[in-house]
Every structure is written in structure tokens, then in C-alpha cells.
Amino acid sequence: MKKKNFSLEVEEIKWTAQYDHIIKWTIIEDDVLQITVYSCKKKRVLYRLFANQKEYITYKFNTQKWSKAMLRNLVTRDWHKISKYKVEPCLEKHTYQRILGNKEDDILKAIYAYQKQLKMNEYHKLRSKIDNMFDQLKPLPDNLNEWVIDKVFKDSNYMIYQKKGSRIFGHCTRCKKDTILKKVKHNKRVICPECQTDVTALSKGLWMRIHDVSDTKYFNVINNTSNGLVIRVFCATKDETYKKQSFKTRETSRFLLRERQLPIGYRKCDKTFRSGYHYWSYGCDWHERKDSVYDESSYLYTDNLDKELNSRYQYCGIKKYAEGVGTIDVMRYLYNYQSKPLLEQLAKGKFFALITDIILYQSYYGLFQSLDMGIDFKASTLQQALGLNKDQVKVIQRANVDINLIKLYKYSISLGQELNANELIYLQEKQGSDYFYSPYYPYEQVEELTQQPDVISNRKHAYVTLKKLIMYKQKQEALGHGRNFYNNYLDYLKECKILQYNLRSKTRLYPKDLLEAHQKTSALISIKKDEKINKKIIQLNNSLAPIYEEEYQGYCFIMPKGIDDFFKESDQLKHCVKNYAERMANETTTIVFMRKKGEENKPLYTIEYKKRRIQQIQGFQHSTPPEGIKKIADVWAKNIEKKLLVT
């Protein structure tokens, strides 16, 4: 319906307390029924419904927005409570009955029946479209259950063993056969002598205490339809007890992938509509869900891909990627392949870690789209796309590096310190502990490390080279200090610069224990910082004590004589005045101690004086002083203000 043709002008009506609502209806051009709902209690217009025989739309005056919701739900969910309403005009009911397509005498009931029928027609039309699409799905493969057990649950097979004398007896849950083992350790991998399957060894005694081991996995099956590819998501559950096994599979959702469009998700559920206290159900079937975009890694059944993938995805490379990685994000891979056909070459070249990064940081909704991956997805060859020559592509291919290490590898080439495949493999295995939120975090740290002003003056005289950095990282990992290595080392070098250490010394540049050396430099900087603050506070005490220090009604006001006074005050009164030492040294505030006369060394209250007035007074554990103390402090503050005006 064209909204521009509808008038939203509100007529003046006579409000009455006799009715809750007034409903006015009329027929406008193009045989459209206009119904306006007024609230007598609120004395304003609520909604205006425009309806013809095929569709309707409602304008909400309070939000000034259009809605396709049923009028019954908009007015109130307690529809049956609307008993006091007036309909104008009262004649010619057959007119709106003709447009609404029913013979209800009550206009509200007529609108409800009309809108419900349109909703049902709309659903049946959509239901027919979904059924026609899903009727094209082929039956599940005959070997699917066997594939699930072999591939999906390959890490969920066990060897239950028990020692009897010098012999070890085992039972394999994969082949269901008993066997004799030579060597076995609890919770370690072992090869079953009967079926040659790699399984996990579990002690029978522990197994009997557990009683039941359950595991849940997800896998996908792809089917081709005339509407596009349908990715079917299954949940498989495997329950193990000693020499017994149960296996269940259920389909949880389906996704339709079309060309250049976002995926559409479908869930099997009982579709219901509510209107007030009334429900009607469409039955348990496949229904479209806008919030059901699948975004998880799962296994992919690959035996049928040669037949099911249409010409658009025939050479997409997802089969090699799935077989090489195991669990993958099927939807994201196929969706990204539409705009990045380079994924095919990457999959054939077994750049699996790189593919995972590409589809992870290029999501459906453009998340991380601004990240510069350093890859030209429009290039026709891998060398052009990655900006590397043939030999360099082979190096990163052997190392199976991700985006982060490709950028690092290119950086090493630019420095003339090209990393080899073994070094890249080591970094690929160890960099997980250095990741935070950015996919480039370790690379950015390495780049900063090798560009420290007092560490590297230029490329020819570089102190921290990439090769030495990797060797040093390996030594620190041997000591158990590998986690967050780059960040710790970067902080250490910056602290060495502040302390003016000679970084040409190898023992200073590469300390044997980085964590211990970092702690020492941090402590020295803290001491050095405290010394500066202490020196400044002493100077302020000499100049400000004559102004701020006074005695009044048995109390004395004392200036701190050094940084130690702040820590003593904070420790004994259990508050945070120690954090104000630096602020006072920077002359952004003034701290004064209030003590009893004769007990000047015993902390009592702490005062912050700023902008010629008291900002706060705090006692033990941030307690508020009594009114008598506040009055004494106010008199002191007025005296200080007079002194400051004179000075």
C-alpha cells in the first residue's frame, strides 16, 4: 500500500468519560477502509488503520511509525477488557464487512478476523515456498552414521584397560573388541591392535566411577536445490558406558545460501501467534528465523560434495579445507568465496590457517572489514595476491602461517632478515599465548621491538634482530616465561631507556631471566618516580607550611613533609590519600592533615583543599567527620582563604 496517499490529519471529537475508546471508520478513495482509534482516558488519537481486501497497514501516532502488527495487539493485549467503546458511524455495517471479507457485526471482531486470515494466508504462502524448496533435498547418505563415528567422533573413542598381574587387558569402544596391550598410560593416546584406531586410554577403575561419558558434536551436510545451496546442521550425541554405546542424531537447523545475499536460517519449531490471551499454532515445522545465522565451526560431510556443489561452488576448495582442518565454518567459507575466489587456490595450496583468518575477520556484516590483510583478493595468482615470489610462497606454504605471520614474514624481508620455514613454524605454534583482541597483535609488538629508537638506529646497526628475538623467546620459554613475552620485553626495553642503560651490552639487552630483570627495572623506575615526588613535596612544605599550618580549638593542621607521610596516613586511616601524592607534587591539589593538639603524630582526619575551598574531609575507612569537626575545618579554610588573598 502506498503510504503517501493516506491522510494523517486528526479530526476534533467530543471526549466522554462514558467510553474507554472511540472508533471512527470511513471509506476513502480506492476502496480503502480507514479506521481511527481514540483513547478517551488519554484524550488523544492512538492508531489509524488503512485496509483493503488484500493488505493493511497501521500508523502509530505516539511513535510516528508505520506497523504491520495486528490492531488487537497494538491497542492492548487484554483485548477482551475493551468493553466500553463507541463506534462512529453506527450504520452501513455491510460496507466495512465487504472490505474486511467477513460478516462480523462488531467492527473490532471484524478487524481481528480479517487480520488473522491475512496472517494465515501469508504464512501458508511462505510455508508452501519452504516446503517446495526442502522437498528437493535428497535422503541422507547411507554411510552417514559410519562417517560420523569415524570422523566426527574420532577423538571420542576409548581404550578401557585393566592390569591383571603382568598383563594389561583392554576393550576398544571403537571396534568393540577385547585385546592385550603392552604399554599404556591413563588419558594418553594409544593405537588399538585390533582396528588400528588412535584412541584415548582410560583406566577401567576410573571409567566405572564415571559410569557414563557423553560427547556432543555438530556436523553439516550440503544439498543443492533450485533456490541455492542448503546447509543442513546436525547435532550428534554419543553416550558411552562400559561395553555399551548409544548414538543419536538430530537435525537442528537449515540455511539457504544464495548468490550475493545473506544466508537465511530455518529452525524446526512450533510456530505460534499470540493475540491477547488467544493463541493459534501453525504446527511444528521448518520456520524462517531472522536471528539464526549459524556462526560456529563444525565437521562437514564431504563424500557428496562432488555431486551436490553446483557450478558456482564446484571448484571452491571447501572439500580440501574441511579434510585438512577438521571443524570449519562452512557458511562463512562459502559466503566469502562468492567475493573471494582466491580461497580456491589457498585451499589447494593447503594455506589452511590463512583461510581460517580470512573467513573469521571478514564476516557477514562487515566486521573487521577495515583490517588491512595485505592480500590482493582480485589477483589471479597466489604470488600476486600475497606480494611474494615463488620461493617465498613455498616457505609460508610449508609453515602454514596465518595473516599475522605473513605480515611478519614480509616485514622480515623488508629488513633484510628473511625468516625461514622452521622459524615461522615455531612462531605459528607459540604465538597463541600472545594473541589478544587484534589478529595482528604479536606482529605489531615485534615491529615496535625492532624499531626502538635507542635499540635500533638503522637496519645496518640493529641490536634486536628478528633472528635473535626468536632465539631469545625460545630461551625464555624454556624458563617458563613465554606467555606475553613480546609485551614484557617491550616494556623492559622502554624502562631501560628511561633508566639510561647501555643497551649495547648483551647482558643488558638479553637478560637471562627477562621476568626478573623486568621486575627490577620497574621497581627502580617506581623509586625514581617516588624520589621526584618526595623532593617536590618537601619543597612545597617549605613554601606552603606558613600559610596552611594553624592551630584552632585544640586541633592543629599540618602539611605533609614528604611522600612517606602520605603512605603512613593512608595505611593507618585505611583510605586512598597515598594516590594524591603525585597530584600534590604537580600542584593540582593540596593535602592537609588534621590532628589533635599534643597528638600530632597520630592520624585523625585528612583534608583536600582545592580552588580555595575544602573538597573533602575523610576519617578512618572513608568515614565522614561529625559536624563539630566540619565547623572547625570551615573556620580554618576561611583563614587560609584570607591568607591566600593577601599573598
Side-chain angles (χ1 to χ4, degrees):
M1 303 182 76
K2 296 182 180 180
K3 305 171 188 176
K4 295 181 180 179
N5 299 337
F6 299 145
S7 172
L8 299 177
E9 294 182 4
V10 180
E11 301 177 15
E12 293 185 3
I13 63 172
K14 294 181 180 180
W15 304 107
T16 174
Q18 184 180 357
Y19 300 103
D20 294 333
H21 295 82
I22 295 176
I23 300 172
K24 298 190 68 173
W25 66 274
T26 184
I27 305 297
I28 60 176
E29 58 183 9
D30 298 329
D31 207 22
V32 174
L33 175 64
Q34 175 183 298
I35 300 174
T36 309
V37 181
Y38 298 84
S39 172
C40 294
K41 290 182 179 180
K42 298 179 181 179
K43 293 186 177 181
R44 62 182 178 87
V45 62
L46 298 178
Y47 309 101
R48 178 163 290 172
L49 171 72
F50 301 92
N52 58 25
Q53 294 180 349
K54 295 182 179 179
E55 56 184 337
Y56 67 89
I57 194 166
T58 305
Y59 184 77
K60 300 188 291 185
F61 284 90
N62 58 338
T63 60
Q64 297 182 351
K65 292 182 179 180
W66 295 91
S67 173
K68 292 288 289 182
M70 297 180 68
L71 184 62
R72 186 170 188 166
N73 294 339
L74 290 174
V75 175
T76 176
R77 291 193 174 184
D78 300 331
W79 184 264
H80 66 287
K81 292 183 180 179
I82 303 180
S83 56
K84 297 180 180 180
Y85 60 90
K86 180 182 179 183
V87 179
E88 296 179 358
C90 299
L91 304 176
E92 301 179 358
K93 295 180 181 180
H94 67 277
T95 306
Y96 67 72
Q97 290 175 346
R98 176 180 56 81
I99 296 176
L100 297 179
N102 56 67
K103 296 182 179 180
E104 293 284 351
D105 292 334
D106 189 294
I107 191 168
L108 292 183
K109 292 182 179 180
I111 294 170
Y112 172 70
Y114 159 78
Q115 291 183 325
K116 178 180 176 180
Q117 186 60 46
L118 287 184
K119 287 280 186 183
M120 294 292 288
N121 294 343
E122 182 182 349
Y123 169 75
H124 288 306
K125 185 177 180 181
L126 179 62
R127 178 76 263 142
S128 177
K129 183 179 179 181
I130 294 174
D131 289 341
N132 291 336
M133 176 176 63
F134 287 160
D135 285 343
Q136 302 176 39
L137 298 180
K138 297 178 181 178
L140 293 176
D142 296 333
N143 68 334
L144 184 63
N145 284 347
E146 184 180 348
W147 173 84
V148 170
I149 294 173
D150 289 341
K151 301 295 183 181
V152 178
F153 288 107
K154 64 180 179 180
D155 296 328
S156 300
N157 295 312
Y158 305 96
M159 176 67 70
I160 314 303
Y161 71 91
Q162 183 180 20
K163 293 183 180 180
K164 294 182 178 180
S166 60
R167 305 180 74 182
I168 304 175
F169 297 90
H171 173 77
C172 177
T173 61
R174 172 65 183 88
C175 62
K176 309 292 188 300
K177 293 182 179 180
D178 296 327
T179 185
I180 297 177
L181 305 171
K182 293 182 179 180
K183 290 183 179 181
V184 65
K185 286 186 178 181
H186 176 70
N187 214 27
K188 299 292 183 182
R189 304 296 290 182
V190 64
I191 301 296
C192 174
E194 301 296 330
C195 61
Q196 301 301 312
T197 304
D198 187 13
V199 296
T200 302
L202 290 179
S203 169
K204 183 179 178 181
L206 179 62
W207 180 277
M208 297 305 290
R209 287 197 297 271
I210 297 174
H211 296 296
D212 184 20
V213 176
S214 180
D215 197 5
T216 301
K217 304 281 187 181
Y218 287 87
F219 66 92
N220 299 150
V221 177
I222 296 178
N223 285 129
N224 187 19
T225 68
S226 58
N227 300 85
L229 290 182
V230 175
I231 293 88
R232 306 171 68 180
V233 183
F234 293 84
C235 175
T237 304
K238 181 181 178 184
D239 293 316
E240 295 268 7
T241 57
Y242 186 62
K243 293 192 176 182
K244 291 183 180 181
Q245 183 184 95
S246 62
F247 178 76
K248 296 180 181 179
T249 301
R250 62 184 178 88
E251 191 171 4
T252 61
S253 51
R254 295 174 178 175
F255 296 90
L256 175 63
L257 183 64
R258 302 158 297 172
E259 185 71 18
R260 304 288 181 183
Q261 297 184 48
L262 289 176
I264 300 177
Y266 300 88
R267 295 287 173 88
K268 197 166 189 177
C269 58
D270 187 14
K271 186 78 169 180
T272 59
F273 279 89
R274 175 181 175 181
S275 179
Y277 290 100
H278 301 277
Y279 293 83
W280 67 86
S281 173
Y282 290 151
C284 186
D285 216 326
W286 292 102
H287 302 281
E288 183 177 337
R289 293 283 299 274
K290 295 180 180 180
D291 59 343
S292 60
V293 174
Y294 190 64
D295 195 18
E296 296 181 13
S297 293
S298 55
Y299 293 88
L300 174 63
Y301 180 76
T302 57
D303 293 354
N304 69 337
L305 291 184
D306 293 337
K307 295 180 180 179
E308 294 297 334
L309 291 179
N310 55 30
S311 57
R312 180 68 180 86
Y313 302 97
Q314 187 176 1
Y315 304 104
C316 67
I318 193 172
K319 184 175 182 178
K320 279 200 170 185
Y321 178 51
E323 292 173 346
V325 176
T327 58
I328 65 171
D329 194 326
V330 178
M331 188 69 68
R332 271 189 174 168
Y333 184 94
L334 295 174
Y335 180 76
N336 276 275
Y337 177 74
Q338 296 178 359
S339 58
K340 301 176 181 65
L342 183 69
L343 290 176
E344 175 192 344
Q345 297 187 50
L346 293 173
K348 290 180 179 178
K350 298 183 178 181
F351 292 89
F352 300 139
L354 181 58
I355 293 173
T356 301
D357 272 3
I358 291 172
I359 65 176
L360 176 63
Y361 295 109
Q362 297 284 316
S363 69
Y364 306 115
Y365 302 106
L367 187 64
F368 297 116
Q369 288 280 10
S370 59
L371 290 177
D372 179 19
M373 295 189 177
I375 301 174
D376 183 7
F377 291 104
K378 296 181 180 180
S380 56
T381 65
L382 280 178
Q383 297 176 33
Q384 294 173 351
L386 300 174
L388 301 171
N389 61 38
K390 187 176 181 180
D391 294 333
Q392 291 167 346
V393 170
K394 289 182 179 179
V395 170
I396 62 172
Q397 182 181 27
R398 180 188 164 193
N400 188 24
V401 298
D402 57 14
I403 292 174
N404 177 58
L405 287 185
I406 285 183
K407 292 179 74 71
L408 182 59
Y409 180 60
K410 289 182 178 180
Y411 179 63
S412 71
I413 295 172
S414 68
L415 292 178
Q417 305 168 23
E418 183 176 345
L419 300 174
N420 58 42
N422 292 331
E423 290 167 333
L424 289 172
I425 291 172
Y426 164 75
L427 292 173
Q428 180 74 13
E429 293 173 351
K430 298 295 183 180
Q431 71 173 341
S433 60
D434 297 301
Y435 265 119
F436 283 85
Y437 299 106
S438 168
Y440 306 144
Y441 192 77
Y443 159 71
E444 291 167 351
Q445 288 180 318
V446 171
E447 187 177 31
E448 191 173 356
L449 274 168
T450 54
Q451 291 178 356
Q452 284 289 294
D454 289 348
V455 180
I456 295 182
S457 55
N458 53 57
R459 293 181 184 177
K460 294 182 180 179
H461 303 285
Y463 298 138
V464 180
T465 65
L466 286 175
K467 303 276 186 180
K468 291 180 180 178
L469 185 63
I470 294 172
M471 291 174 61
Y472 186 54
K473 179 177 171 64
Q474 290 173 331
K475 291 179 180 179
Q476 294 305 308
E477 283 177 347
L479 296 174
H481 301 158
R483 184 168 182 80
N484 205 18
F485 164 78
Y486 298 115
N487 195 37
N488 289 335
Y489 191 38
L490 186 60
D491 288 345
Y492 167 75
L493 292 179
K494 290 179 178 179
E495 289 168 353
C496 287
K497 177 186 173 183
I498 295 171
L499 295 171
Q500 298 181 347
Y501 284 165
N502 178 21
L503 290 172
R504 294 179 181 274
S505 169
K506 288 185 178 180
T507 56
R508 185 69 72 186
L509 187 60
Y510 300 111
K512 289 184 178 180
D513 190 325
L514 175 61
L515 193 60
E516 182 181 345
H518 182 24
Q519 290 172 349
K520 287 181 179 179
T521 53
S522 297
L524 288 172
I525 286 177
S526 179
I527 292 171
K528 189 174 181 180
K529 183 179 179 181
D530 289 348
E531 287 177 351
K532 288 183 178 180
I533 293 173
N534 188 56
K535 187 177 179 181
K536 183 65 176 177
I537 290 173
I538 292 172
Q539 292 175 356
L540 288 172
N541 178 268
N542 295 332
S543 60
L544 298 179
I547 300 174
Y548 287 92
E549 290 190 348
E550 281 191 353
E551 292 183 6
Y552 183 71
Q553 291 189 2
Y555 290 92
C556 55
F557 298 85
I558 303 171
M559 290 284 293
K561 296 177 176 58
I563 194 172
D564 291 341
D565 289 349
F566 282 88
F567 282 91
K568 180 182 177 182
E569 187 88 356
S570 184
D571 181 61
Q572 294 193 21
L573 294 183
K574 308 298 181 186
H575 56 40
C576 57
V577 72
K578 62 183 179 182
N579 298 329
Y580 286 74
E582 187 174 359
R583 302 183 197 181
M584 184 168 175
N586 295 331
E587 299 185 38
T588 58
T589 191
T590 303
I591 300 297
V592 180
F593 302 146
M594 184 177 179
R595 310 279 172 84
K596 280 187 178 181
K597 190 175 181 180
E599 298 180 3
E600 286 82 358
N601 294 325
K602 184 179 179 180
L604 184 62
Y605 294 104
T606 309
I607 300 173
E608 182 187 10
Y609 186 83
K610 184 179 180 182
K611 296 181 180 179
R612 297 193 176 184
R613 64 186 180 90
I614 294 175
Q615 298 291 327
Q616 57 179 322
I617 306 176
Q618 295 199 10
F620 182 72
Q621 292 185 343
H622 299 278
S623 62
T624 303
E627 290 299 323
I629 296 296
K630 288 183 179 179
K631 289 180 180 179
I632 295 173
D634 287 340
V635 174
W636 168 81
K638 290 178 181 179
N639 294 336
I640 299 304
E641 185 177 2
K642 292 177 183 178
K643 290 182 182 180
L644 292 174
L645 289 173
V646 173
T647 56

